[in-house]
Amino acid sequence: MNVIITGGAGFIGTHVVRLFVNKYPDYHIFNVDKLTYAGNLANLKDLENKPNYTFVKADVCDFDTILALMQREHIDGIIHLAAESHVDRSIKDPFTFARTNVMGTLSMLQAAKIYWESLPEKYEGKRFYHISTDEVYGALEMTHPDGIMPPFTTKASSGEHHLAYGDKFFTEDLKYMPHSPYSASKASSDHFVRAFHDTYGMPTIVTNCSNNYGPYQFPEKLIPLFINNIRHRRPLPVYGKGENVRDWLYVEDHARAIDLIFHKGNVADTYNIGGFNEWKNIDIIKVLIKTVDRLLGRAEGEDMDLITYVTDRAGHDLRYAIDSSKLQRELGWEPSLQFEEGIEKTVRWYLDNQEWMDNITSGEYEKYYESMYANR
């Protein structure tokens, strides 16, 4: 197969590209990335000389370039990860999110449609896989602030922190209720993907995933940002009281799920991918502080005073919680790591790769960070 992976120089894309290039030597993987602030080819230096890997610097909104690439390289499959994904940025600049997430997805869909419909076999053996987010579902109530045991479990999530903070979970049949410009743009792109199946018969799949964490994540997101701040003893800005709940999944487990669904998922179906792993923001921050302090040889928890509460984000959803039982039941996937193990691996990676972090935070992100928190 010849497969395009868009956004392959980003956080999740880095792990998906590496998995596919190494696991499938008979595939040719085309990593299409615009290399915006969050794209970093240093993430993939180990793949540069692989014969089945090609990087293509291109914008997913550039329809002519994408169509020409599909025609020239005889593309069989698309895994569409490229997206603007930071909610704070979407609040400041919704137009960029509409352009990349909505029009970029439409550009990819239309290029695939034109090329695949020109072939004698048309859509046979083809697949358009669109990666979305749990944020399109809106928010869930936190009916159990102290946590309860959820109605589902996995080997990887059977530790003492496997708690749910409410009775309801995001399932594949929920209607969409996005609350931020980011989630609204992703919801729109999801609708376009499904419409191309219903209208043209394109073999599409959509997945909605919970928060990812792990190596190579751009440090505007909570976990790498706070690991770096703890290391340098900078303030840890916590929205509101830190009571917002998120479901966390180690990024390599997400990549494994994408691999499985791309090859074995049902066409026109939707799969939720989650870690069965809910944490309040303030609790995960305290775990990060203790872990970083311990690994740096400090007294465990001595940097708790870095926590700084700031004005809550506009439209900040209270709780996200994915039910991935369908994926587990139908395709046999489940997370491989308990959260504590995943956090330990993640913190160690960022502490061992400070040069990678310094190269990123010395650039455009540093200006963004300063502007975000200067007046708080």
Side-chain angles (χ1 to χ4, degrees), residues 36-96:
T36 61
Y37 73 94
N40 188 352
L41 285 180
N43 299 354
L44 295 165
K45 284 192 71 66
D46 55 311
L47 302 183
E48 286 179 353
N49 297 318
K50 294 275 188 177
N52 64 329
Y53 171 72
T54 301
F55 172 71
V56 179
K57 188 175 188 297
D59 185 346
V60 292
C61 294
D62 185 348
F63 170 78
D64 292 336
T65 295
I66 297 299
L67 177 59
L69 174 65
M70 294 198 66
Q71 293 170 331
R72 182 177 68 252
E73 303 296 348
H74 309 292
I75 298 299
D76 303 296
I78 294 171
I79 299 175
H80 182 42
L81 276 153
E84 296 283 348
S85 65
H86 194 45
V87 175
D88 287 337
R89 287 180 183 266
S90 80
I91 293 170
K92 290 174 175 284
D93 180 16
F95 285 103
T96 295

Side-chain angles (χ1 to χ4, degrees), residues 140-294:
L140 296 167
E141 293 182 1
M142 187 154 55
T143 53
H144 296 278
D146 295 325
I148 59 171
M149 289 304 296
F152 40 73
T153 189
T154 70
K155 289 181 292 185
S157 59
S158 57
E160 61 179 289
H161 292 294
H162 180 43
L163 295 176
Y165 290 91
D167 301 296
K168 296 183 178 179
F169 305 87
F170 294 143
T171 57
E172 289 84 355
D173 57 357
L174 283 182
K175 71 176 181 179
Y176 279 16
M177 296 183 65
H179 292 153
S180 71
Y182 162 59
S183 57
S185 68
K186 291 298 290 184
S188 178
S189 67
D190 295 3
H191 290 318
F192 269 110
V193 173
R194 295 187 177 105
F196 265 65
H197 171 267
D198 295 348
T199 304
Y200 308 112
M202 182 181 289
T204 62
I205 291 180
V206 175
T207 56
N208 301 84
C209 191
S210 61
N211 282 27
N212 282 211
Y213 71 98
Y216 298 110
Q217 188 169 27
F218 191 79
E220 67 186 351
K221 299 299 179 78
L222 188 151
I223 288 179
L225 171 64
F226 279 30
I227 291 171
N228 198 45
N229 282 14
I230 297 163
R231 177 173 192 146
H232 295 287
R233 290 197 160 117
R234 297 171 182 163
L236 307 177
V238 180
Y239 283 128
K241 297 179 180 180
E243 294 293 309
N244 302 76
V245 172
R246 297 295 181 262
D247 176 19
W248 292 90
L249 178 67
Y250 191 65
V251 64
E252 290 181 4
D253 282 331
H254 188 189
R256 287 193 306 105
I258 290 171
D259 175 24
L260 183 64
I261 294 165
F262 180 74
H263 289 98
K264 297 185 178 180
N266 295 320
V267 167
D269 215 341
T270 299
Y271 297 91
N272 282 347
I273 309 172
F276 302 97
N277 182 45
E278 294 181 48
W279 284 75
K280 292 181 182 179
N281 285 348
I282 191 62
D283 291 336
I284 198 173
I285 290 163
K286 291 177 180 177
V287 169
L288 288 173
I289 293 171
K290 292 178 181 178
T291 305
V292 174
D293 282 348
R294 173 170 50 80

Side-chain angles (χ1 to χ4, degrees), residues 314-332:
H316 198 179
D317 292 333
L318 183 59
R319 173 177 172 253
Y320 302 150
I322 282 275
D323 181 353
S324 0
S325 297
K326 174 181 175 181
L327 178 57
Q328 185 176 8
R329 182 177 63 252
E330 294 187 4
L331 298 181

